[in-house]
Structures are given as C-alpha cells and as structure tokens.
Amino acid sequence: MSVQVSQAVVLILGITVFVLSVWGMFSPARLIQMVSHAMDQKYGMYLAVSVRLVLGAALIIVAPISQFPTVFYVLGWLTIVAAIGLILVGRDRVRRFIAWFERLSMSAVRLWLLFGMAFAGFLIYGVV
C-alpha cells in the first residue's frame, strides 16, 4: 500500500466513523441495531477484523507524513492487535459486548459517540 493510498484509507475511514458517530448522536438505537445486525451476519466478524487490519496498516504506513507520527504508528499497531484480539475472543464474546452496549442509557451511548467523533476528527486532522 502506498503512502497516498494509506492516507486516503485513513481519511475515508475517519470520515466514515465521524459521520456514523454524528448519525448515532441523533439515533443511537438505530446505530446499535445496525451494528448488532451486522455482527449477526456471517460477514460481521470478517468485516470488523478486515477494517481494523486495513486501518492499522494504513496508519503505520502514513505515520511518517502525519501530524503525529509516533501516535499514528502506535495506533496502527494497537489497531492490528485489536483485530487479532477480535479473532481470539470470538463472535460470542463480541455479541455479549454488543448486548452490554445495548443496555447502556442513550446518554452513555452518546458519550461513547463523542469519543468516536473526537477520534475520527483526530485521524482526519492527522492526515490532512
């Protein structure tokens, strides 16, 4: 993956997370339902792991030209470890985590989404 492609990947995923987080602020139950439905499908775990692997690799590659090279490098490796962690914990534990998240108050979900927006904004700022 080239640096330009990696930069585009980080930017696109950052924008996607930001948009989903904003949408979730207005409709947290629908966002949780969408994630829960995706994880119920066969492709759910594959998608979750694949996105993390691609983002992790892109963060590592783009780190030298980013605003925060060390942070992006570390985040890249943490993202790859998270992908491996998802595989190791398995679908059942991921579903239990989603079930726990579904039981949170909508205010708590919105607080998590604020963190998602901040993280996405950081990624976008870091590569633009």
Side-chain angles (χ1 to χ4, degrees):
M1 202 173 350
S2 74
V3 172
Q4 290 82 12
V5 171
S6 298
Q7 192 173 15
V9 166
V10 173
L11 184 62
I12 290 167
L13 288 175
I15 291 169
T16 302
V17 169
F18 189 84
V19 168
L20 286 172
S21 295
V22 170
W23 174 59
M25 294 294 271
F26 294 102
S27 185
R30 295 262 307 155
L31 180 64
I32 293 170
Q33 179 185 22
M34 182 182 75
V35 171
S36 181
H37 176 72
M39 289 308 294
D40 286 340
Q41 306 303 311
K42 285 192 177 215
Y43 67 83
M45 279 292 279
Y46 298 118
L47 181 64
V49 170
S50 298
V51 167
R52 282 168 179 78
L53 289 174
V54 169
L55 178 60
L59 285 169
I60 291 167
I61 292 168
V62 82
I65 65 157
S66 73
Q67 300 282 345
F68 313 99
T70 305
V71 175
F72 271 47
Y73 186 76
V74 170
L75 279 175
W77 282 110
L78 287 174
T79 305
I80 290 171
V81 169
I84 295 166
L86 275 179
I87 295 167
L88 295 176
V89 300
R91 177 186 298 257
D92 289 338
R93 285 195 178 139
V94 172
R95 281 294 305 136
R96 281 190 291 215
F97 176 75
I98 293 170
W100 169 82
F101 204 82
E102 289 173 327
R103 291 189 302 271
L104 292 176
S105 70
M106 290 302 112
S107 296
V109 171
R110 286 184 175 102
L111 182 61
W112 278 102
L113 291 169
L114 279 176
F115 287 117
M117 289 168 55
F119 179 70
F122 174 75
L123 291 180
I124 294 166
Y125 175 75
V127 296
V128 174

